[in-house]
């Protein structure tokens, strides 16, 4: 074996990087690994043997901030993010990028998948009158948040990370057609 194409996820790629770099043998039997979809910025900082062919989560956060400011003209945004390595990193990049573009982040709310009661967040976000909600988490979790926002009488634009693409599978046909998310390319 001279090389590997994959893993698709950042976590798996980060775990396998020391093996690809043959850390135990000081790199004598290292092999090249190319990941098509691992987006965490740390992936290509793990050593000299792992490469990516896709943008990073940081790139997606900057693109989403630009879209929020330039395309939808958002001035006040709430960020709801999965409280893990991905969500915190995405929020750490998008917040300053929004501020640089004159967009105020009026709320940052962490959540834990399968535990969070979105109703309280939704009611608070509705009272704040935000133009958009940036959701850095999964599609099914975003679906729960959107439903809670609608029940609270709020209808802000919903913007998400690439993981929000899974929202297509989370609801009735057309239920989430107005959700926008950063993605490499999706022909569907």
């Amino acid at each position: 074996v001279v090389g590997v194409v994959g893993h698709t996820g950042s976590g798996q790629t980060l775990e396998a990087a020391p093996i690809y770099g043959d850390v135990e043998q000081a790199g004598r039997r290292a092999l090249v690994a190319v990941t098509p979809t691992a987006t965490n910025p740390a992936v290509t900082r793990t050593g000299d043997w792992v490469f990516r062919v896709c943008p990073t989560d940081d790139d997606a956060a900057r693109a989403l901030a630009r879209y929020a400011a330039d395309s939808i003209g958002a001035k006040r945004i709430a960020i709801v993010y999965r409280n893990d390595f991905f969500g915190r990193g995405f929020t750490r990049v998008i917040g300053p990028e929004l501020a640089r573009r004159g967009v105020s982040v009026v709320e940052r709310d962490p959540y834990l998948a399968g535990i969070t009661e979105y109703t309280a967040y939704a009611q608070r976000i509705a009272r704040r009158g935000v133009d958009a909600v940036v959701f850095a988490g999964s599609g099914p979790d975003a679906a729960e948040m959107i439903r809670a926002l609608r029940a609270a009488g709020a209808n802000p634009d919903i913007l998400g990370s690439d993981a929000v693409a899974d929202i297509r599978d989370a609801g009735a046909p057309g239920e989430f057609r107005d959700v926008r998310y950063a993605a490499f390319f999706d022909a569907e």
Side-chain angles (χ1 to χ4, degrees), residues 27-39:
R28 285 194 300 271
R29 296 182 133 179
L31 57 111
V32 172
V34 178
T35 174
T37 55
T39 57

Side-chain angles (χ1 to χ4, degrees), residues 50-91:
V50 178
F51 301 89
R52 88 171 82 247
V53 294
C54 63
T56 67
D57 294 330
D58 292 357
D59 297 324
R62 285 188 287 274
L64 204 57
R66 187 173 51 248
Y67 179 80
D70 299 347
S71 296
I72 66 171
K75 296 295 180 198
R76 296 171 45 82
I77 284 186
I79 299 173
V80 178
Y81 63 95
R82 191 173 55 221
N83 195 8
D84 63 6
F85 190 65
F86 161 74
R88 290 186 303 269
F90 194 90
T91 301

Side-chain angles (χ1 to χ4, degrees), residues 80-130:
V80 178
Y81 63 95
R82 191 173 55 221
N83 195 8
D84 63 6
F85 190 65
F86 161 74
R88 290 186 303 269
F90 194 90
T91 301
R92 190 171 32 257
V93 172
I94 199 169
E97 198 62 33
L98 288 164
R100 195 171 71 72
R101 296 175 177 285
V103 180
S104 297
V105 176
V106 299
E107 186 149 346
R108 283 183 179 86
D109 294 319
Y111 81 89
L112 296 171
I115 296 174
T116 300
E117 293 289 333
Y118 294 100
T119 303
Y121 287 165
Q123 290 171 352
R124 193 170 56 240
I125 290 169
R127 283 193 304 272
R128 296 226 172 172
V130 300

Side-chain angles (χ1 to χ4, degrees), residues 158-174:
I158 305 294
L159 308 174
S161 62
D162 62 332
V164 172
D166 292 346
I167 201 165
R168 292 180 299 221
D169 303 325

